[in-house]
Amino acid sequence: MTGPVSGDAGLDTSETAPGVGVLEYLAGDHGGRIISAMHHDHPYEDPAEADDLHRRVAAETGVYPALYSADFLTGRTVPFRANMIDEVIRQWRNGRLVQIMFHVSPPQYTVEQEVEGGWGTDAAADALPGPNRVYSHLPEDRWAELLRDGTELNANWRRRMDEYAGHLKRLDDAGVTVLLRPFHEMNQHVFWWGGRPGPGGTAGLFRMFRRHLEEEWGLHDIVWVWNIQDLPDDYGHLDGDEKFARYRGLAGGIPEYDANDWDSFNPGADAYDVLSVDFYDDEGYSPRRYEQARRIAERDGKPMIIGETFVLPGPDVLRTQPAWALAMPWGERTWLHNTPDAMAAFYRGSIGAADLPRFVASGPAGR
């Protein structure tokens, strides 16, 4: 593992400093500043490069981001998941917030077959039934089978959940509180898990996963992140969403739905801890999207964060939308969508790793 670089020296995490829980911190007052982050979208074959983007931000802006985001991924990265967990533990021990995402193969594939999977594209030929890719479609009858106890597909998925749980158990044993963001962008139909509103849809899969980790594995030191994307208003409708046309006349295809009805994908206030919204639409950080998120977060009593973005929020956004606790740019493409001056302004004005308090694992008692 590489040694400290600019902004990567860690914090004074001595026991004399008061400790704070992760969820408590996210929900707290940050003095008008937003918490900085970066997603690591590179493979984990080389452990020495597991925080290369964080170190790049630090070298260019002088600020090492406060949150480190990792990903289970699928395909050729599967054999290196242990390296990813090692880096998450290292980041936590150096005083940072940590998150893991969940780009994984469809549920009909085994743990062994995940290594053969891939990301794919959202083109119809890639995303329609069956391929071992993140961009894939699960027919309606198979979806019902997935959520129903006792079916072959449900049993296979439970074995898959056990594989992820084994990695997460390492974090629990190490005293790490991780933000876990499974089945992100639930309202986007190109992922095999997405585009299914209602309690029997993606929200039901989210609840199943949480229940499995808690009841079967005793994992409670997890901050559960529910995620939605800022999709266009006609998304999920045949007459406005070009990509949705792939489901026209398709046996087992999903019916039309309102992707802008975020609450139809809500797993329930008892099932999630943080509301996050991904911003990729041309509308950007509009007041209506902010108010839409704020109403849900306030009603459910949750902090809210910008879960993913290419374009970092500027000073006007941060001034007029103060409820956002954190903003996470999406990996290497951040440099393609922001000028060096904009990146420097964001990171130098935000909460970096050196500004964080000492975190303590919360466990069931802290939740």
Side-chain angles (χ1 to χ4, degrees):
M1 199 59 70
T2 56
V5 299
S6 175
D8 189 27
L11 312 177
D12 177 9
T13 56
S14 66
E15 294 300 323
T16 58
V20 61
V22 169
L23 187 56
E24 176 189 356
Y25 179 70
L26 290 173
D29 181 3
H30 305 124
R33 293 193 295 167
I34 198 166
I35 303 167
S36 65
M38 174 56 70
H39 180 68
H40 181 83
D41 62 348
H42 293 171
Y44 283 87
E45 288 96 329
D46 182 358
E49 294 300 312
D51 73 332
D52 59 341
L53 297 181
H54 273 63
R55 288 186 283 114
R56 181 177 175 183
V57 171
E60 294 175 3
T61 72
V63 178
Y64 193 91
L67 177 134
Y68 178 88
S69 176
D71 200 322
F72 271 115
L73 291 175
T74 191
R76 70 185 184 92
T77 64
V78 170
F80 306 105
R81 283 174 173 166
N83 291 348
M84 180 267 285
I85 296 296
D86 288 342
E87 179 63 17
V88 169
I89 293 173
R90 187 185 80 89
Q91 291 282 341
W92 172 263
R93 287 178 174 168
N94 280 345
R96 291 89 187 227
L97 294 162
V98 290
Q99 172 181 264
I100 298 180
M101 292 178 54
F102 206 73
H103 287 92
V104 296
S105 293
Q108 64 267 39
Y109 296 97
T110 65
V111 171
E112 293 74 23
Q113 288 172 324
E114 269 208 281
V115 74
E116 303 166 5
W119 189 281
T121 74
D122 58 5
D126 271 348
L128 284 181
N132 190 356
R133 302 185 181 102
V134 175
Y135 285 113
S136 184
H137 171 65
L138 196 66
E140 288 284 84
D141 59 340
R142 295 284 277 165
W143 181 268
E145 184 184 345
L146 170 64
L147 296 187
R148 189 167 63 249
D149 289 347
T151 67
E152 182 180 347
L153 186 59
N154 180 274
N156 190 67
W157 181 241
R158 288 183 181 278
R159 287 189 287 271
R160 290 274 300 282
M161 289 193 288
D162 286 339
E163 200 267 341
Y164 310 133
H167 290 291
L168 295 171
K169 179 67 163 55
R170 287 189 56 208
L171 300 182
D172 193 74
D173 291 344
V176 177
T177 299
V178 64
L179 280 77
L180 188 64
R181 194 175 80 139
F183 318 119
H184 67 288
E185 297 172 1
M186 289 185 180
N187 55 338
Q188 182 174 186
H189 57 71
V190 296
F191 294 125
W192 65 261
W193 59 78
R196 302 174 190 270
T202 317
L205 187 64
F206 186 103
R207 294 180 68 92
M208 176 202 288
F209 189 47
R210 177 167 184 169
R211 186 169 60 249
H212 188 83
L213 294 189
E214 292 182 347
E215 295 179 1
E216 302 298 324
W217 285 81
L219 300 179
H220 295 278
D221 201 7
I222 293 173
V223 174
W224 289 86
V225 181
W226 168 46
N227 181 250
I228 289 292
Q229 186 175 340
D230 64 334
L231 295 165
D233 290 341
D234 57 6
Y235 194 91
H237 296 281
L238 285 169
D239 60 354
D241 177 4
E242 179 181 338
K243 292 176 181 177
F244 194 80
R246 74 188 68 185
Y247 300 109
R248 189 193 304 272
L250 178 71
I254 59 178
E256 292 185 90
Y257 68 99
D258 182 3
N260 196 40
D261 181 6
W262 293 351
D263 255 333
S264 67
F265 293 89
N266 192 331
D270 62 329
Y272 82 97
D273 302 306
V274 176
L275 167 63
S276 70
V277 182
D278 292 358
F279 282 91
Y280 290 120
D281 191 42
D282 291 341
E283 185 176 326
Y285 302 104
S286 65
R288 72 156 181 151
R289 295 297 192 198
Y290 173 71
E291 290 301 325
Q292 189 174 0
R294 190 182 60 80
R295 285 192 298 270
I296 295 173
E298 287 188 355
R299 182 201 65 207
D300 290 354
K302 312 296 182 182
M304 57 189 245
I305 66 176
I306 297 170
E308 289 180 30
T309 187
F310 286 151
V311 180
L312 290 164
D316 289 347
V317 171
L318 298 179
R319 183 176 61 255
T320 59
Q321 301 184 12
W324 297 119
L326 178 148
M328 189 188 80
W330 185 255
E332 191 167 27
R333 280 173 282 186
T334 305
W335 280 266
L336 301 177
H337 293 268
N338 302 273
T339 66
D341 286 346
M343 289 189 65
F346 173 79
Y347 280 104
R348 291 170 186 168
S350 66
I351 295 172
D355 304 311
L356 293 172
R358 183 176 70 86
F359 292 117
V360 294
S362 53
R367 305 293 298 283

